[in-house]
């Protein structure tokens, strides 16, 4: 996992160095700045070594082409075999991007399987692209007649740019050929046909999920797992622990945070005991929250109330995990794929509308939960991995009728009770992994289950000096004031961050 800057037809090594050092937390293992010979290109890169730690420094420069990349290419070994091992000069998974581009295939980028953002330059051309759902961030700014690319908005803070915008998920910019939307989220199915085999579908879902977890654990360093005690992170941790045990490895390191006696901490302990993970936990206080909020807002690059609230426990979990591992698995994506949010219950009698909403929400994750997880974990130089957002799993999950994801059914008795159960097919597929009461435990948002919401009221009083309760308007004003204090050009940060309703979708 890394951060990068690319200047094309603008600036020099001094500007690139200034920009990369603003996001150097993304990659503390190495920082490099280089110019592409014979081209108006300067690239800078900060590296967190995960795959190919000995020889994977960037920018990667080979015979006139230069590349900077952020993320992981999980099928890099297969691509090496196809492209020819002799062409490769390093063990880095990122190098596969360069050789795929050189293959000359028109849809070469679609062969990349993983989470990534990159900029690739030749003497006459620059190409920038982002993974299907925008797990990894990428921004572009116009400066005069040139472009500047960077992994975070703060790299542009104080730089005289004309505009800054996010490159959309699943999109590629080519200075020669223009924009391409190379990936589109498959549209979700609505209702099951009469002959639809639910049991077979659940079994296949389990296999696809197990393959996704195994794939997203590939690394040359140890990978741990966040464990909130909720369904999604518990399933990921249970599958990961089982995979390690089957290989004679492990145990998996799991990490949980919350206030003293909070539901998440108690549930996470039970899950850890059940699966046999090597568990760590951290108890935080109102003062810890007050101390963390300015850090969270700066790195989150947002003053959105609900995003900030959910990011605080993510920060504590990252600070706990990074003491022992360089990468962690997380549960992001399950709610969007399997209808896990409270507002989804409004769609229980309209599977078509639910399927449409799930498809829509998948396409906006980069502005909500994925932004939170990336910025906050990378602020601590920790890589977060999201197996639920594996492309093959997305394809399979979207083919499952929405009527099996949210339904008025008692999943154990298989009788209609009128009670709505979210993520039903996912629970059925993984019911044997965890105790029954945890499998069917009702969802709580991460900031609620961890105890953040209740403790936050006291933290806000500590920050503002208020005697009584700080209402939502006051909380929002505080967050925006903190953001404005932390940036030289706060209006640019606020404008580029965008506006969206995150209140219903900010859970791990």
């Amino acid at each position: 996992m890394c951060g990068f800057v690319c200047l094309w037809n603008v600036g020099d090594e001094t500007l690139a160095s200034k920009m990369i050092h603003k996001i150097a937390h993304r990659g503390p293992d190495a920082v490099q700045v280089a110019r592409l010979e014979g081209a108006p290109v300067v690239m800078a890169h900060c590296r967190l070594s995960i795959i190919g730690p000995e020889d994977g420094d960037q920018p990667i420069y080979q015979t006139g082409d230069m590349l900077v990349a952020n993320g992981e290419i999980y099928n890099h070994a297969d691509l090496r075999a196809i492209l020819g091992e002799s062409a490769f000069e390093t063990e880095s998974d990122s190098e596969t991007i360069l050789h795929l581009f050189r293959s000359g295939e028109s849809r070469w980028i679609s062969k990349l399987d993983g989470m990534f953002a990159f900029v690739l330059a030749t003497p006459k051309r620059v190409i920038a692209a982002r993974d299907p759902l925008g797990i990894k961030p990428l921004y572009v700014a116009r400066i005069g007649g040139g472009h500047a690319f960077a992994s975070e908005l703060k790299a542009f803070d104080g730089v005289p740019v004309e505009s800054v915008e996010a490159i959309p998920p699943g999109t590629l910019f080519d200075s020669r050929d223009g924009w391409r939307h190379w990936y589109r989220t498959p549209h979700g199915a609505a209702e099951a046909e009469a002959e639809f085999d639910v049991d077979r579908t659940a079994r296949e879902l389990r296999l696809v999920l197990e393959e996704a977890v195994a794939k997203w654990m590939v690394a040359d360093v140890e990978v741990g797992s966040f464990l909130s005690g909720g369904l999604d992170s518990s399933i990921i941790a249970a599958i990961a622990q089982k995979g390690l045990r089957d290989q004679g490895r492990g145990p998996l390191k799991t990490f949980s945070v919350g206030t003293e006696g909070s539901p998440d901490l108690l549930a996470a302990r039970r899950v850890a005991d059940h699966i046999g993970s090597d568990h760590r936990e951290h108890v935080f206080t109102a003062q810890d929250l007050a101390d963390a909020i300015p850090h969270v807002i700066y790195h989150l690059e947002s003053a959105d109330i609900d995003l900030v609230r959910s990011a605080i426990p993510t920060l504590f979990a990252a600070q706990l995990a990074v003491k022992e591992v360089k990468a962690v698995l997380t549960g992001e994506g399950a709610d969007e794929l399997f209808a896990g949010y409270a507002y989804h219950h409004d769609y229980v009698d309209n599977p078509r509308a639910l399927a449409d909403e799930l498809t829509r929400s998948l396409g906006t994750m980069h502005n909500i939960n994925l932004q939170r997880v990336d910025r906050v974990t990378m602020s601590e130089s920790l890589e977060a991995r999201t197996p639920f957002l594996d492309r093959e799993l997305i394809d399979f999950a979207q083919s499952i009728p929405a009527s099996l994801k949210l339904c008025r059914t008692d999943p154990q008795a298989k009788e209609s009770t009128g009670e709505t159960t979210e993520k039903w097919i996912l629970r059925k597929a993984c019911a044997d992994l965890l105790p029954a009461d945890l499998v069917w435990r009702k969802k709580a948002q991460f900031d609620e289950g961890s105890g953040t919401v209740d403790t936050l009221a006291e933290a806000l009083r500590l920050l503002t000096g208020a005697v009584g309760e700080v209402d939502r308007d006051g909380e929002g004003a505080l967050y925006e004031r903190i953001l404005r204090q932390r940036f030289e050009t706060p209006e640019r940060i606020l404008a580029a961050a965008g506006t969206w309703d995150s209140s219903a979708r900010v859970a791990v």
Side-chain angles (χ1 to χ4, degrees):
M1 196 64 63
C2 312
F4 63 74
V5 167
C6 175
L7 305 178
W8 185 66
N9 275 328
V10 65
D12 54 19
E13 288 89 340
T14 300
L15 177 58
S17 179
K18 175 184 176 182
M19 293 176 69
I20 197 65
H21 279 93
K22 289 183 179 179
I23 59 173
H25 50 270
R26 296 186 68 91
D29 294 336
V31 177
Q32 305 282 346
V33 180
R35 177 178 289 274
L36 179 60
E37 293 182 15
V41 176
V42 177
M43 291 186 176
H45 189 268
C46 54
R47 184 178 185 223
L48 180 63
S49 305
I50 302 291
I51 294 178
E54 301 301 324
D55 62 357
D57 285 352
Q58 298 186 38
I60 296 174
Y61 175 76
Q62 292 182 12
T63 59
D65 299 331
M66 185 175 281
L67 169 77
V68 281
N70 167 32
E72 306 290 351
I73 309 300
Y74 294 119
N75 64 335
H76 72 99
D78 292 340
L79 291 174
R80 282 173 176 268
I82 295 169
L83 295 165
E85 186 68 38
S86 62
F88 288 78
E89 298 180 6
T90 74
E91 295 298 319
S92 170
D93 58 308
S94 296
E95 190 181 345
T96 57
I97 299 170
L98 182 60
H99 296 295
L100 270 177
F101 164 72
R102 289 176 167 181
S103 71
E105 294 188 24
S106 59
R107 299 200 71 248
W108 59 273
I109 189 173
S110 66
K111 292 180 168 58
L112 295 173
D113 185 7
M115 54 179 186
F116 55 84
F118 66 83
V119 180
L120 189 160
T122 72
K124 296 182 179 180
R125 183 180 179 191
V126 66
I127 295 170
R130 196 172 177 192
D131 65 61
L133 292 187
I135 300 172
K136 293 292 99 188
L138 180 56
Y139 294 91
V140 58
R142 292 176 178 83
I143 307 178
H147 291 78
F149 303 87
S151 297
E152 294 187 13
L153 282 169
K154 61 179 63 65
F156 302 104
D157 191 33
V159 178
V161 303
E162 296 170 17
S163 64
V164 181
E165 60 182 318
I167 290 182
T171 300
L172 179 148
F173 167 76
D174 187 332
S175 62
R176 187 189 70 182
D177 300 330
W179 292 89
R180 287 174 52 194
H181 195 172
W182 66 270
Y183 176 86
R184 295 185 184 278
T185 304
H187 209 86
E191 294 193 64
E193 298 177 356
E195 65 274 15
F196 192 90
D197 194 317
V198 176
D199 290 334
R200 287 184 180 179
T201 300
R203 289 196 298 270
E204 194 65 22
L205 172 58
R206 172 68 168 272
L207 294 175
V208 175
L209 183 54
E210 288 176 348
E211 285 190 354
V213 172
K215 182 195 304 183
W216 287 62
M217 287 192 74
V218 171
D220 293 328
V221 298
E222 185 176 9
V223 178
S225 186
F226 284 169
L227 181 59
S228 70
L231 180 69
D232 309 334
S233 63
S234 297
I235 286 174
I236 294 296
I239 292 175
Q241 169 67 1
K242 181 178 181 298
L244 289 174
R245 186 170 56 245
D246 291 346
Q247 298 170 30
R249 300 166 54 201
L252 176 75
K253 287 186 172 69
T254 53
F255 307 93
S256 180
V257 300
T259 56
E260 188 67 51
S262 61
D264 276 3
L265 278 184
L266 299 176
R269 289 174 197 168
R270 285 194 62 206
V271 173
D273 288 343
H274 183 80
I275 67 175
S277 66
D278 182 7
H279 193 55
R280 307 284 191 277
E281 63 181 39
H282 170 70
V283 175
F284 57 81
T285 66
Q287 185 62 59
D288 294 330
L289 291 181
D291 293 341
I293 284 173
H295 175 91
V296 163
I297 290 171
Y298 175 71
H299 284 283
L300 190 60
E301 301 178 330
S302 174
D304 180 274
I305 294 174
D306 299 291
L307 212 54
V308 171
R309 286 183 173 189
S310 65
I312 297 169
T314 303
L315 173 66
F316 295 145
Q319 290 173 336
L320 179 64
V322 78
K323 297 174 183 178
E324 304 201 36
V325 298
K326 277 193 168 185
V328 291
L329 305 176
T330 80
E332 270 68 36
D335 291 317
E336 286 77 8
L337 285 173
F338 298 102
Y341 293 116
Y343 83 96
H344 288 149
H345 289 226
D346 296 338
Y347 297 89
V348 67
D349 296 319
N350 192 338
R352 179 69 270 160
L354 175 61
D356 293 345
E357 171 57 19
L358 296 180
T359 303
R360 185 203 67 80
S361 64
L362 280 168
T364 62
M365 285 192 71
H366 62 287
N367 278 338
I368 306 177
N369 282 327
L370 294 180
Q371 177 170 327
R372 166 181 56 81
V373 172
D374 173 83
R375 302 304 191 283
V376 174
T377 57
M378 290 308 296
S379 77
E380 304 303 309
S381 304
L382 178 73
E383 175 178 290
R385 299 181 169 192
T386 55
F388 276 113
L389 297 179
D390 180 79
R391 278 175 68 179
E392 291 187 14
L393 180 53
I394 290 172
D395 289 346
F396 189 79
Q398 287 291 87
S399 74
I400 298 174
S403 59
L404 297 178
K405 299 176 180 180
L406 183 73
C407 50
R408 298 184 189 278
T409 304
D410 178 340
Q412 293 168 314
K414 297 184 180 180
E415 296 176 354
S416 178
T417 63
E419 181 180 354
T420 302
T421 300
E422 68 274 3
K423 292 188 282 196
W424 183 84
I425 191 69
L426 178 63
R427 295 174 193 269
K428 179 179 176 62
C430 301
D432 63 308
L433 289 174
L434 302 162
D437 62 318
L438 291 179
V439 171
W440 304 107
R441 179 190 180 207
K442 287 295 182 182
K443 179 182 179 59
Q445 291 190 162
F446 190 24
D447 53 352
E448 294 173 347
S450 63
T452 305
V453 172
D454 294 336
T455 311
L456 182 62
E458 183 180 349
L460 292 174
R461 288 193 291 270
L462 290 172
L463 283 170
T464 62
V467 176
E469 181 178 351
V470 178
D471 62 18
R472 190 174 176 87
D473 288 342
E475 182 181 353
L478 171 65
Y479 294 166
E480 183 173 332
R481 184 164 64 251
I482 291 172
L483 185 146
R484 290 182 179 280
Q485 292 170 349
R486 295 300 303 268
F487 290 97
E488 296 179 48
T489 50
E491 294 295 344
R492 181 185 301 155
I493 302 296
L494 290 166
T499 302
W500 52 85
D501 179 13
S502 64
S503 60
R505 298 196 295 123
V506 290
V508 165

